[in-house]
Amino acid sequence: IVHRDITSSNIFVERDMRIKVGDFGLSRLLVVQDNNTTSASNGFVWTGPQGTPGYLDPDYHRSFRLTEKSDVYSFGVVLLELISGLRAVDQNRDKREMALADLVVSRIQMGQLHQVLDPVLDCADGGVAAVAELAFRCVAADKDDRPDAREVVEELKRVRNRAVTAAKE
């Protein structure tokens, strides 16, 4: 299932800290088959782009090909919101940086990640930088340059484990 609307407002944290995703109104089923008889057999579905501005996969928007990596892009934007404290879209920013992904990618490419990090974050243990790197990979313009969802989960687990280990020391 591709959610098509992964946003910070559609991710819920329960009292026991379990995470849930809500609002599956735009979701689509990806059917991957062994033979090449359907448009979905290569891991994508042809569909008109829908979703929330700022979170929408630009590759999907251009090609109308919805893939599992479309949600990875959107999740990358959520990660960028978490580390920057900024909105996914802000019309008060420069036109080229109105979308948070464009702003942060630009700063990372110029070696200026520190300019967009939320100052309340403790960057000493490297966890924020690791999440920034993961988010950067998730919001790659070309879907083939993005990690898949399993890789994202594995990297987030590694970041968490390093943070737990550092906290114990």
Side-chain angles (χ1 to χ4, degrees):
I1 296 175
V2 180
H3 190 278
R4 292 205 301 176
D5 201 23
I6 298 290
T7 65
S8 52
S9 63
N10 285 337
I11 298 174
F12 306 99
V13 181
E14 304 229 324
R15 286 187 181 159
D16 61 0
M17 299 306 290
R18 285 185 304 145
I19 306 298
K20 302 240 175 163
V21 177
D23 190 1
F24 283 80
L26 295 178
S27 64
R28 295 291 291 251
L29 181 63
L30 276 185
V31 179
V32 181
Q33 299 176 348
D34 291 333
N35 59 23
N36 291 331
T37 58
T38 70
S39 65
S41 63
N42 293 322
F44 69 88
V45 167
W46 291 95
T47 180
Q50 289 185 307
T52 303
Y55 297 90
L56 191 59
D57 171 8
D59 191 62
Y60 167 44
H61 194 260
R62 281 189 301 272
S63 70
F64 297 91
R65 287 178 158 194
L66 177 67
T67 71
E68 86 153 9
K69 296 211 178 165
S70 298
D71 280 351
V72 168
Y73 181 92
S74 301
F75 185 70
V77 175
V78 171
L79 291 176
L80 293 176
E81 288 178 296
L82 289 171
I83 64 170
S84 71
L86 300 172
R87 293 177 177 211
V89 175
D90 187 341
Q91 295 181 356
N92 293 320
R93 291 193 292 250
D94 182 78
K95 181 180 176 183
R96 290 169 301 204
E97 297 178 340
M98 198 175 296
L100 182 59
D102 295 335
L103 169 67
V104 176
V105 165
S106 169
R107 293 301 189 280
I108 289 174
Q109 289 172 335
M110 294 187 296
Q112 300 171 340
L113 173 64
H114 64 279
Q115 289 184 356
V116 291
L117 290 181
D118 190 328
V120 303
L121 295 176
D122 177 11
C123 300
D125 68 0
V128 174
V131 172
E133 171 63 28
L134 177 61
F136 178 77
R137 291 177 50 220
C138 289
V139 298
D142 184 341
K143 68 176 175 40
D144 294 331
D145 293 336
R146 296 181 204 142
D148 63 28
R150 283 179 200 79
E151 291 175 75
V152 172
V153 170
E154 300 277 325
E155 182 59 26
L156 288 173
K157 285 179 181 178
R158 279 192 289 274
V159 170
R160 181 188 62 200
N161 291 340
R162 282 193 307 257
V164 168
T165 301
K168 288 180 181 178
E169 295 176 348

